[in-house]
Amino acid sequence: MAKERLDKLIASTGRWSRREVKTLVREGRVLVDGRIAGSAEEKYDAESCRVAVNGEELVLQRYTYVMLHKPAGVLSATEDGRGRTVLDLLTPELRKIGVFPVGRLDKDTEGLLLLTDDGELAHALLSPKKHVDKVYYARVSGRLAPEDCAAFEAGMMLGDGLECLPAGLEILAAGETSECLVTLREGKFHQVKRMLAARGKPVTYLKRLSMGSLRLDDTLAPGEFRLLTAAEEAQLQR
Ligand code: URA
């Protein structure tokens, strides 16, 4: 793996800014392979060096992966002049690393949002060719029926000519309002809402539950986030 500067490696844990790392190094509180680090600019291979700060050994990664439980009312853009974005929910350290959301959720959609500075993984997760399933829980007005599932499976053409790949629709409850799970392998603009609206079942609530192997941690309340575990990251890379 390519070598990275010590301050970047340590800042990628999201716990200290690069400026704070420089201070820690200056104060002799950073050890690399058991020796006090001389400079924050020295380059190391994250996979083969052992770095400790204040006596605690760190798990180092080249890139940072954050799981956020996106709440409704927040944009999943990186910048917005008018409203809050998902980046405002993170720490200043994570913002400085330059993580960005992998795909978008609508302002009123809740649920799993991955943020990373790993452009290659982000691209792979979003590419329809890679067949990464995204699963959504939706509540709709109207009674969902087996014909709706068949239409999803066949691949729908929406009113404006938008062609959708075959998708999954599992009915959880059917009545005046219904609940379902929708599985997509692509992410066109407002896709779940548009597909269900095309079946005459407008969405009243939408939440993303998973993306490939990555499932929303149900201990995270809306607005909370955490770094991915090493196991989650390894599975996602596969
Ligand atoms: N489909 C939608 O309609 N909205 C989202 O936020 C995500 C998928």
Side-chain angles (χ1 to χ4, degrees):
M1 187 189 265
K3 290 184 173 183
E4 293 283 358
R5 284 169 53 128
L6 187 57
D7 52 356
K8 180 162 191 297
L9 283 177
I10 296 179
S12 75
T13 61
R15 294 169 60 182
W16 299 276
S17 65
R18 283 168 87 148
R19 183 182 302 181
E20 285 166 339
V21 174
K22 286 197 178 83
T23 309
L24 288 166
V25 170
R26 230 180 292 121
E27 291 172 352
R29 295 201 267 153
V30 178
L31 297 187
V32 180
D33 295 329
R35 294 177 172 205
I36 294 179
S39 155
E41 286 158 30
E42 285 165 10
K43 291 191 169 178
Y44 295 97
D45 181 340
E47 282 184 351
S48 61
C49 72
R50 285 181 305 116
V51 175
V53 174
N54 294 326
E56 180 198 343
E57 191 155 324
L58 305 181
V59 179
L60 292 183
Q61 290 165 325
R62 182 148 178 232
Y63 294 115
T64 302
Y65 306 91
V66 181
M67 177 193 293
L68 170 72
H69 185 163
K70 180 192 171 296
V74 178
L75 290 168
S76 45
T78 46
E79 260 177 55
D80 182 77
R82 294 151 295 152
R84 275 199 315 159
T85 76
V86 288
L87 292 183
D88 295 316
L89 300 169
L90 306 182
T91 59
E93 287 74 30
L94 285 170
R95 278 200 292 276
K96 263 181 241 154
I97 290 170
V99 296
F100 57 86
V102 177
R104 294 200 170 190
L105 291 178
D106 297 335
K107 188 170 180 183
D108 59 355
T109 301
E110 295 183 1
L112 175 67
L113 189 66
L114 175 68
L115 297 106
T116 184
D117 52 348
D118 180 348
E120 211 175 305
L121 181 77
H123 180 74
L125 289 173
L126 295 176
S127 164
K129 289 192 198 122
K130 301 274 181 184
H131 294 196
V132 177
D133 284 347
K134 287 108 192 158
V135 180
Y136 297 84
Y137 165 83
R139 270 201 296 270
V140 300
S141 302
R143 183 181 293 275
L144 283 169
E147 301 83 80
D148 298 314
C149 303
F152 269 55
E153 270 159 35
M156 292 173 61
M157 163 91 88
L158 301 183
D160 56 4
L162 181 81
E163 274 184 57
C164 302
L165 291 172
L169 176 64
E170 184 186 336
I171 301 171
L172 301 175
E176 250 172 64
T177 61
S178 304
E179 293 172 47
C180 60
L181 294 178
V182 174
T183 303
L184 299 184
R185 68 167 69 141
E186 53 184 346
K188 296 189 166 116
F189 190 56
H190 296 327
Q191 189 167 348
V192 173
K193 290 177 187 163
R194 289 163 79 195
M195 289 176 81
L196 284 163
R199 300 295 309 166
K201 317 283 166 21
V203 169
T204 54
Y205 173 80
L206 188 60
K207 176 177 182 177
R208 183 156 63 195
L209 304 179
S210 66
M211 201 170 181
S213 58
L214 190 65
R215 294 175 166 277
L216 179 65
D217 179 340
D218 56 18
T219 66
L220 290 178
E224 289 184 344
F225 66 88
R226 66 163 171 79
L227 297 182
L228 294 199
T229 63
E232 283 169 336
E233 192 207 316
Q235 260 187 312
L236 212 53
Q237 295 284 8
R238 249 179 262 141

